[in-house]
Amino acid sequence: MTTITVLLVDDQVLVRAGLRALLDAEPGMTVIGEAGDGDAAVDLARSLRPDVVLMDIRMPGTDGIAATRRISADAALDGVHVVILTTFEQDDYVFEAIRSGAAGFLVKDTEPAELLRAVRTVVAGDSLLSPRATRSLIEAYATHAKPASLAPGLGVLTDREREVMQLVAIGLTNTEIAEQLFVSPLTTKTHVSRAMIKLGARDRAQLVVFAYETGLVTPGWQP
Protein backbone atom coordinates (compact mmCIF):
# COMPACT_ATOMS: atom_id res chain seq x y z
CA MET A 1 0.00 0.00 0.00
CA THR A 2 1.32 3.42 -0.94
CA THR A 3 1.28 5.82 1.99
CA ILE A 4 -0.54 9.13 1.41
CA THR A 5 1.49 12.00 2.83
CA VAL A 6 -0.28 15.05 4.25
CA LEU A 7 0.82 18.56 5.21
CA LEU A 8 -1.36 20.34 7.80
CA VAL A 9 -1.73 24.11 7.62
CA ASP A 10 -3.70 25.91 10.33
CA ASP A 11 -2.84 28.71 12.72
CA GLN A 12 -4.51 26.86 15.60
CA VAL A 13 -2.25 24.30 17.23
CA LEU A 14 -5.18 22.32 18.67
CA VAL A 15 -6.76 21.95 15.23
CA ARG A 16 -3.51 20.64 13.79
CA ALA A 17 -3.10 18.25 16.72
CA GLY A 18 -6.58 16.83 16.20
CA LEU A 19 -6.05 16.37 12.47
CA ARG A 20 -2.65 14.76 13.01
CA ALA A 21 -4.06 12.27 15.51
CA LEU A 22 -6.83 11.33 13.08
CA LEU A 23 -4.62 10.99 10.00
CA ASP A 24 -1.70 9.24 11.67
CA ALA A 25 -4.06 6.65 13.13
CA GLU A 26 -5.37 5.79 9.68
CA PRO A 27 -3.51 2.98 7.85
CA GLY A 28 -1.89 4.25 4.68
CA MET A 29 -1.76 7.91 5.76
CA THR A 30 0.85 9.95 7.55
CA VAL A 31 1.35 13.62 8.43
CA ILE A 32 4.80 14.73 7.31
CA GLY A 33 4.65 18.37 8.32
CA GLU A 34 2.74 21.22 9.95
CA ALA A 35 2.60 24.95 9.27
CA GLY A 36 0.86 27.81 11.02
CA ASP A 37 0.77 30.29 8.13
CA GLY A 38 0.76 30.45 4.36
CA ASP A 39 4.42 31.29 3.85
CA ALA A 40 5.55 28.31 5.90
CA ALA A 41 3.03 26.14 4.03
CA VAL A 42 4.55 27.01 0.65
CA ASP A 43 8.09 26.39 1.93
CA LEU A 44 7.16 23.01 3.39
CA ALA A 45 5.20 22.00 0.28
CA ARG A 46 8.33 22.65 -1.79
CA SER A 47 10.65 20.75 0.53
CA LEU A 48 8.38 17.84 1.51
CA ARG A 49 6.24 17.40 -1.65
CA PRO A 50 3.16 16.04 0.19
CA ASP A 51 0.34 14.33 -1.68
CA VAL A 52 -2.25 16.52 0.06
CA VAL A 53 -2.18 19.87 1.83
CA LEU A 54 -5.06 20.48 4.24
CA MET A 55 -5.09 24.28 4.16
CA ASP A 56 -6.93 26.61 6.51
CA ILE A 57 -8.46 29.41 4.46
CA ARG A 58 -8.08 32.17 7.07
CA MET A 59 -4.74 32.74 8.74
CA PRO A 60 -2.78 35.81 9.81
CA GLY A 61 -0.22 37.01 7.29
CA THR A 62 -0.33 35.00 4.09
CA ASP A 63 -3.74 33.34 3.99
CA GLY A 64 -4.79 30.02 2.51
CA ILE A 65 -5.84 31.49 -0.84
CA ALA A 66 -2.49 33.18 -1.49
CA ALA A 67 -0.61 30.07 -0.39
CA THR A 68 -2.76 27.86 -2.62
CA ARG A 69 -2.12 30.12 -5.58
CA ARG A 70 1.63 29.93 -5.07
CA ILE A 71 1.61 26.15 -4.69
CA SER A 72 -0.56 25.69 -7.79
CA ALA A 73 1.62 28.01 -9.85
CA ASP A 74 4.76 25.99 -9.05
CA ALA A 75 5.24 23.41 -11.80
CA ALA A 76 7.42 21.34 -9.48
CA LEU A 77 4.42 20.87 -7.17
CA ASP A 78 2.05 19.60 -9.86
CA GLY A 79 1.30 16.44 -7.85
CA VAL A 80 0.42 18.35 -4.66
CA HIS A 81 -3.33 18.59 -4.05
CA VAL A 82 -4.62 21.41 -1.84
CA VAL A 83 -7.84 20.94 0.09
CA ILE A 84 -9.21 24.08 1.72
CA LEU A 85 -10.58 23.85 5.26
CA THR A 86 -13.16 26.46 6.19
CA THR A 87 -15.58 27.13 9.04
CA PHE A 88 -18.48 28.08 6.80
CA GLU A 89 -19.81 26.21 3.78
CA GLN A 90 -21.05 29.41 2.14
CA ASP A 91 -17.82 31.36 2.04
CA ASP A 92 -17.00 33.60 -0.92
CA TYR A 93 -13.31 33.03 -0.36
CA VAL A 94 -13.71 29.35 -1.17
CA PHE A 95 -14.59 30.14 -4.79
CA GLU A 96 -11.44 32.19 -5.16
CA ALA A 97 -9.43 29.37 -3.58
CA ILE A 98 -10.73 26.88 -6.14
CA ARG A 99 -9.94 29.32 -8.94
CA SER A 100 -6.46 29.55 -7.45
CA GLY A 101 -5.94 25.81 -7.78
CA ALA A 102 -7.46 24.11 -4.74
CA ALA A 103 -8.80 20.65 -5.47
CA GLY A 104 -11.86 21.30 -3.33
CA PHE A 105 -12.85 22.16 0.19
CA LEU A 106 -14.27 20.75 3.39
CA VAL A 107 -15.94 22.41 6.34
CA LYS A 108 -14.08 21.94 9.61
CA ASP A 109 -16.96 20.11 11.29
CA THR A 110 -16.79 17.37 8.65
CA GLU A 111 -17.12 13.88 10.12
CA PRO A 112 -13.72 12.14 10.55
CA ALA A 113 -14.64 9.32 8.17
CA GLU A 114 -15.60 11.86 5.48
CA LEU A 115 -12.33 13.72 5.85
CA LEU A 116 -10.33 10.51 5.48
CA ARG A 117 -12.40 9.56 2.46
CA ALA A 118 -11.85 13.04 1.00
CA VAL A 119 -8.07 12.76 1.32
CA ARG A 120 -8.11 9.49 -0.61
CA THR A 121 -10.55 10.91 -3.15
CA VAL A 122 -8.47 13.95 -4.01
CA VAL A 123 -5.32 11.85 -4.39
CA ALA A 124 -7.17 9.52 -6.77
CA GLY A 125 -8.66 12.50 -8.62
CA ASP A 126 -11.94 10.65 -9.08
CA SER A 127 -14.43 13.20 -7.76
CA LEU A 128 -14.86 16.74 -6.54
CA LEU A 129 -14.80 17.23 -2.80
CA SER A 130 -18.05 18.34 -1.18
CA PRO A 131 -19.90 18.46 -4.53
CA ARG A 132 -23.17 19.74 -3.05
CA ALA A 133 -21.54 22.59 -1.17
CA THR A 134 -19.16 23.43 -3.99
CA ARG A 135 -21.96 23.52 -6.56
CA SER A 136 -24.07 25.73 -4.30
CA LEU A 137 -21.19 28.12 -3.75
CA ILE A 138 -20.31 28.42 -7.43
CA GLU A 139 -23.95 28.91 -8.41
CA ALA A 140 -24.30 31.67 -5.82
CA TYR A 141 -21.23 33.36 -7.27
CA ALA A 142 -22.40 32.91 -10.85
CA THR A 143 -25.80 34.39 -10.05
CA HIS A 144 -24.20 37.73 -9.16
CA ALA A 145 -21.52 37.66 -11.83
CA LYS A 146 -21.87 39.18 -15.26
CA PRO A 147 -23.38 36.82 -17.87
CA ALA A 148 -20.82 34.46 -19.36
CA SER A 149 -20.38 33.74 -23.03
CA LEU A 150 -19.43 30.36 -24.43
CA ALA A 151 -15.66 30.48 -24.77
CA PRO A 152 -14.03 29.46 -28.06
CA GLY A 153 -11.81 27.17 -26.01
CA LEU A 154 -14.69 24.76 -25.52
CA GLY A 155 -14.55 24.00 -29.22
CA VAL A 156 -11.63 21.64 -28.58
CA LEU A 157 -13.97 19.28 -26.72
CA THR A 158 -16.04 16.56 -28.34
CA ASP A 159 -19.80 16.58 -27.78
CA ARG A 160 -19.44 13.74 -25.27
CA GLU A 161 -16.66 15.52 -23.39
CA ARG A 162 -18.82 18.64 -23.12
CA GLU A 163 -21.72 16.54 -21.87
CA VAL A 164 -19.52 14.86 -19.25
CA MET A 165 -18.10 18.24 -18.22
CA GLN A 166 -21.63 19.54 -17.61
CA LEU A 167 -22.35 16.60 -15.32
CA VAL A 168 -19.06 17.08 -13.48
CA ALA A 169 -20.03 20.72 -12.97
CA ILE A 170 -23.23 19.84 -11.11
CA GLY A 171 -21.32 17.61 -8.73
CA LEU A 172 -21.83 14.10 -10.10
CA THR A 173 -19.17 11.46 -9.50
CA ASN A 174 -17.75 9.30 -12.28
CA THR A 175 -20.01 6.43 -11.25
CA GLU A 176 -23.10 8.67 -11.29
CA ILE A 177 -22.14 10.11 -14.69
CA ALA A 178 -21.64 6.60 -16.04
CA GLU A 179 -25.12 5.61 -14.90
CA GLN A 180 -26.60 8.76 -16.44
CA LEU A 181 -24.93 8.20 -19.81
CA PHE A 182 -25.06 4.38 -19.83
CA VAL A 183 -21.30 4.00 -20.11
CA SER A 184 -18.64 2.53 -17.82
CA PRO A 185 -16.99 4.53 -15.00
CA LEU A 186 -13.65 3.99 -16.76
CA THR A 187 -15.01 5.55 -19.95
CA THR A 188 -16.31 8.48 -17.93
CA LYS A 189 -12.94 8.93 -16.25
CA THR A 190 -11.27 8.96 -19.67
CA HIS A 191 -13.60 11.70 -20.92
CA VAL A 192 -12.98 13.77 -17.78
CA SER A 193 -9.21 13.39 -18.11
CA ARG A 194 -9.26 14.37 -21.78
CA ALA A 195 -11.37 17.45 -21.06
CA MET A 196 -8.96 18.51 -18.31
CA ILE A 197 -5.95 18.07 -20.59
CA LYS A 198 -7.53 19.95 -23.49
CA LEU A 199 -8.64 22.87 -21.30
CA GLY A 200 -5.52 22.96 -19.15
CA ALA A 201 -7.51 22.32 -15.96
CA ARG A 202 -5.41 21.23 -12.99
CA ASP A 203 -8.19 19.09 -11.54
CA ARG A 204 -11.95 18.55 -11.49
CA ALA A 205 -12.52 21.58 -9.30
CA GLN A 206 -11.08 23.87 -11.95
CA LEU A 207 -13.11 22.05 -14.57
CA VAL A 208 -16.25 22.97 -12.61
CA VAL A 209 -15.24 26.63 -12.38
CA PHE A 210 -14.44 26.69 -16.11
CA ALA A 211 -17.86 25.22 -16.91
CA TYR A 212 -19.63 28.01 -15.04
CA GLU A 213 -17.36 30.83 -16.21
CA THR A 214 -17.79 29.89 -19.87
CA GLY A 215 -21.54 29.45 -19.63
CA LEU A 216 -21.46 25.74 -20.42
CA VAL A 217 -23.48 25.33 -17.22
CA THR A 218 -25.66 28.01 -15.66
CA PRO A 219 -27.08 28.21 -12.10
CA GLY A 220 -29.90 25.72 -11.66
CA TRP A 221 -29.02 23.74 -14.81
CA GLN A 222 -30.22 20.16 -14.82
CA PRO A 223 -29.53 17.44 -17.43
Side-chain angles (χ1 to χ4, degrees):
M1 179 185 297
T2 301
T3 299
I4 297 173
T5 56
V6 182
L7 171 63
L8 303 177
V9 184
D10 197 295
D11 61 327
Q12 298 183 41
V13 177
L14 282 177
V15 172
R16 298 203 308 268
L19 289 172
R20 175 181 279 274
L22 173 67
L23 293 164
D24 280 346
E26 180 69 8
M29 291 188 192
T30 185
V31 174
I32 59 173
E34 297 183 24
D37 62 72
D39 288 331
V42 175
D43 290 341
L44 284 177
R46 287 171 175 161
S47 62
L48 300 176
R49 306 290 177 86
D51 296 311
V52 178
V53 179
L54 293 180
M55 179 88 72
D56 186 17
I57 198 169
R58 295 179 178 177
M59 295 178 289
T62 300
D63 63 17
I65 295 176
T68 297
R69 186 178 295 112
R70 287 164 60 185
I71 290 172
S72 299
D74 191 332
L77 301 181
D78 188 55
V80 177
H81 307 280
V82 179
V83 177
I84 293 294
L85 297 176
T86 181
T87 304
F88 304 103
E89 213 171 69
Q90 295 300 324
D91 190 331
D92 290 341
Y93 290 109
V94 175
F95 182 85
E96 186 58 35
I98 293 176
R99 291 188 65 182
S100 299
F105 73 95
L106 292 171
V107 290
K108 286 187 176 181
D109 61 357
T110 294
E111 292 293 326
E114 183 180 346
L115 186 143
L116 294 172
R117 185 164 52 249
V119 169
R120 288 195 173 90
T121 296
V122 73
V123 170
D126 288 334
S127 65
L128 181 67
L129 297 178
S130 265
R132 179 187 61 80
T134 301
R135 183 170 69 253
S136 176
L137 176 73
I138 293 175
E139 287 187 357
Y141 177 92
T143 299
H144 297 93
K146 63 181 181 180
S149 58
L150 201 60
L154 292 179
V156 301
L157 303 181
T158 65
D159 289 342
R160 178 61 90 183
E161 287 165 355
R162 286 163 63 117
E163 187 176 16
V164 168
M165 184 173 167
Q166 287 176 313
L167 297 176
V168 168
I170 63 171
L172 298 190
T173 65
N174 285 350
T175 299
E176 291 168 337
I177 294 172
E179 292 173 352
Q180 180 94 10
L181 300 179
F182 302 103
V183 296
S184 71
L186 180 59
T187 297
T188 298
K189 186 174 182 178
T190 299
H191 287 312
V192 172
S193 297
R194 287 176 178 170
M196 288 170 54
I197 292 171
K198 289 179 179 180
L199 297 175
R202 179 184 173 93
D203 49 40
R204 290 174 70 108
Q206 289 195 331
L207 205 60
V208 172
V209 172
F210 195 81
Y212 276 93
E213 288 188 329
T214 58
L216 182 63
V217 174
T218 56
W221 181 87
Q222 292 295 325

PDB file of all heavy atoms in Angstrom, residues 1-4 22-30 120:
ATOM      1  N   MET A   1       0.846  -1.200   0.000  1.00  0.00           N
ATOM      2  CA  MET A   1       0.000   0.000   0.000  1.00  0.00           C
ATOM      3  C   MET A   1       0.878   1.245   0.000  1.00  0.00           C
ATOM      4  O   MET A   1       1.793   1.368   0.808  1.00  0.00           O
ATOM      5  CB  MET A   1      -0.906   0.004   1.240  1.00  0.00           C
ATOM      6  CG  MET A   1      -1.812   1.237   1.325  1.00  0.00           C
ATOM      7  SD  MET A   1      -2.762   1.282   2.866  1.00  0.00           S
ATOM      8  CE  MET A   1      -3.761  -0.178   2.699  1.00  0.00           C
ATOM      9  N   THR A   2       0.598   2.160  -0.901  1.00  0.00           N
ATOM     10  CA  THR A   2       1.315   3.423  -0.943  1.00  0.00           C
ATOM     11  C   THR A   2       0.782   4.350   0.143  1.00  0.00           C
ATOM     12  O   THR A   2      -0.415   4.535   0.271  1.00  0.00           O
ATOM     13  CB  THR A   2       1.144   4.095  -2.316  1.00  0.00           C
ATOM     14  OG1 THR A   2       1.639   3.213  -3.328  1.00  0.00           O
ATOM     15  CG2 THR A   2       1.913   5.401  -2.362  1.00  0.00           C
ATOM     16  N   THR A   3       1.688   4.921   0.910  1.00  0.00           N
ATOM     17  CA  THR A   3       1.275   5.818   1.988  1.00  0.00           C
ATOM     18  C   THR A   3       0.996   7.208   1.448  1.00  0.00           C
ATOM     19  O   THR A   3       1.809   7.776   0.721  1.00  0.00           O
ATOM     20  CB  THR A   3       2.369   5.905   3.068  1.00  0.00           C
ATOM     21  OG1 THR A   3       2.579   4.605   3.627  1.00  0.00           O
ATOM     22  CG2 THR A   3       1.954   6.868   4.175  1.00  0.00           C
ATOM     23  N   ILE A   4      -0.166   7.764   1.801  1.00  0.00           N
ATOM     24  CA  ILE A   4      -0.538   9.129   1.411  1.00  0.00           C
ATOM     25  C   ILE A   4       0.067  10.089   2.420  1.00  0.00           C
ATOM     26  O   ILE A   4      -0.170   9.976   3.626  1.00  0.00           O
ATOM     27  CB  ILE A   4      -2.061   9.289   1.376  1.00  0.00           C
ATOM     28  CG1 ILE A   4      -2.672   8.372   0.314  1.00  0.00           C
ATOM     29  CG2 ILE A   4      -2.442  10.751   1.103  1.00  0.00           C
ATOM     30  CD1 ILE A   4      -4.191   8.356   0.331  1.00  0.00           C
ATOM     31  N   LEU A  22      -5.903  12.052  13.941  1.00  0.00           N
ATOM     32  CA  LEU A  22      -6.830  11.331  13.077  1.00  0.00           C
ATOM     33  C   LEU A  22      -6.107  10.693  11.897  1.00  0.00           C
ATOM     34  O   LEU A  22      -6.285   9.507  11.600  1.00  0.00           O
ATOM     35  CB  LEU A  22      -7.918  12.286  12.568  1.00  0.00           C
ATOM     36  CG  LEU A  22      -8.877  11.733  11.503  1.00  0.00           C
ATOM     37  CD1 LEU A  22      -9.741  10.625  12.095  1.00  0.00           C
ATOM     38  CD2 LEU A  22      -9.756  12.866  10.956  1.00  0.00           C
ATOM     39  N   LEU A  23      -5.276  11.464  11.220  1.00  0.00           N
ATOM     40  CA  LEU A  23      -4.623  10.989  10.001  1.00  0.00           C
ATOM     41  C   LEU A  23      -3.536   9.952  10.291  1.00  0.00           C
ATOM     42  O   LEU A  23      -3.406   8.964   9.576  1.00  0.00           O
ATOM     43  CB  LEU A  23      -4.037  12.178   9.240  1.00  0.00           C
ATOM     44  CG  LEU A  23      -5.070  13.147   8.666  1.00  0.00           C
ATOM     45  CD1 LEU A  23      -4.400  14.471   8.286  1.00  0.00           C
ATOM     46  CD2 LEU A  23      -5.774  12.554   7.459  1.00  0.00           C
ATOM     47  N   ASP A  24      -2.768  10.180  11.351  1.00  0.00           N
ATOM     48  CA  ASP A  24      -1.696   9.237  11.672  1.00  0.00           C
ATOM     49  C   ASP A  24      -2.233   7.895  12.149  1.00  0.00           C
ATOM     50  O   ASP A  24      -1.547   6.873  12.059  1.00  0.00           O
ATOM     51  CB  ASP A  24      -0.765   9.835  12.734  1.00  0.00           C
ATOM     52  CG  ASP A  24       0.238  10.826  12.146  1.00  0.00           C
ATOM     53  OD1 ASP A  24       0.390  10.841  10.909  1.00  0.00           O
ATOM     54  OD2 ASP A  24       0.853  11.573  12.915  1.00  0.00           O
ATOM     55  N   ALA A  25      -3.458   7.904  12.659  1.00  0.00           N
ATOM     56  CA  ALA A  25      -4.059   6.654  13.135  1.00  0.00           C
ATOM     57  C   ALA A  25      -4.653   5.837  11.989  1.00  0.00           C
ATOM     58  O   ALA A  25      -5.010   4.677  12.177  1.00  0.00           O
ATOM     59  CB  ALA A  25      -5.145   6.961  14.176  1.00  0.00           C
ATOM     60  N   GLU A  26      -4.767   6.459  10.832  1.00  0.00           N
ATOM     61  CA  GLU A  26      -5.371   5.788   9.676  1.00  0.00           C
ATOM     62  C   GLU A  26      -4.303   5.044   8.877  1.00  0.00           C
ATOM     63  O   GLU A  26      -3.307   5.629   8.439  1.00  0.00           O
ATOM     64  CB  GLU A  26      -6.058   6.818   8.774  1.00  0.00           C
ATOM     65  CG  GLU A  26      -6.732   6.243   7.540  1.00  0.00           C
ATOM     66  CD  GLU A  26      -7.962   5.414   7.850  1.00  0.00           C
ATOM     67  OE1 GLU A  26      -8.389   5.406   9.032  1.00  0.00           O
ATOM     68  OE2 GLU A  26      -8.498   4.790   6.926  1.00  0.00           O
ATOM     69  N   PRO A  27      -4.478   3.730   8.655  1.00  0.00           N
ATOM     70  CA  PRO A  27      -3.511   2.983   7.850  1.00  0.00           C
ATOM     71  C   PRO A  27      -3.361   3.590   6.455  1.00  0.00           C
ATOM     72  O   PRO A  27      -4.346   3.949   5.816  1.00  0.00           O
ATOM     73  CB  PRO A  27      -4.138   1.583   7.772  1.00  0.00           C
ATOM     74  CG  PRO A  27      -5.013   1.489   8.984  1.00  0.00           C
ATOM     75  CD  PRO A  27      -5.567   2.878   9.165  1.00  0.00           C
ATOM     76  N   GLY A  28      -2.127   3.725   6.021  1.00  0.00           N
ATOM     77  CA  GLY A  28      -1.894   4.250   4.680  1.00  0.00           C
ATOM     78  C   GLY A  28      -1.844   5.758   4.601  1.00  0.00           C
ATOM     79  O   GLY A  28      -1.769   6.320   3.510  1.00  0.00           O
ATOM     80  N   MET A  29      -1.864   6.452   5.749  1.00  0.00           N
ATOM     81  CA  MET A  29      -1.760   7.910   5.760  1.00  0.00           C
ATOM     82  C   MET A  29      -0.759   8.340   6.826  1.00  0.00           C
ATOM     83  O   MET A  29      -0.642   7.707   7.875  1.00  0.00           O
ATOM     84  CB  MET A  29      -3.113   8.563   6.069  1.00  0.00           C
ATOM     85  CG  MET A  29      -4.139   8.431   4.992  1.00  0.00           C
ATOM     86  SD  MET A  29      -5.623   9.435   5.354  1.00  0.00           S
ATOM     87  CE  MET A  29      -6.745   8.779   4.122  1.00  0.00           C
ATOM     88  N   THR A  30      -0.068   9.415   6.558  1.00  0.00           N
ATOM     89  CA  THR A  30       0.853   9.950   7.549  1.00  0.00           C
ATOM     90  C   THR A  30       1.020  11.456   7.359  1.00  0.00           C
ATOM     91  O   THR A  30       1.041  11.947   6.224  1.00  0.00           O
ATOM     92  CB  THR A  30       2.235   9.261   7.460  1.00  0.00           C
ATOM     93  OG1 THR A  30       3.060   9.728   8.522  1.00  0.00           O
ATOM     94  CG2 THR A  30       2.920   9.564   6.140  1.00  0.00           C
ATOM     95  N   ARG A 120      -8.349  10.535   0.388  1.00  0.00           N
ATOM     96  CA  ARG A 120      -8.114   9.485  -0.613  1.00  0.00           C
ATOM     97  C   ARG A 120      -8.712   9.886  -1.969  1.00  0.00           C
ATOM     98  O   ARG A 120      -8.134   9.615  -3.023  1.00  0.00           O
ATOM     99  CB  ARG A 120      -8.730   8.170  -0.142  1.00  0.00           C
ATOM    100  CG  ARG A 120      -7.981   7.520   1.002  1.00  0.00           C
ATOM    101  CD  ARG A 120      -8.405   6.068   1.195  1.00  0.00           C
ATOM    102  NE  ARG A 120      -7.569   5.414   2.188  1.00  0.00           N
ATOM    103  CZ  ARG A 120      -7.832   5.381   3.487  1.00  0.00           C
ATOM    104  NH1 ARG A 120      -8.916   5.966   3.944  1.00  0.00           N
ATOM    105  NH2 ARG A 120      -7.026   4.772   4.331  1.00  0.00           N
TER     106      ARG A 120
END
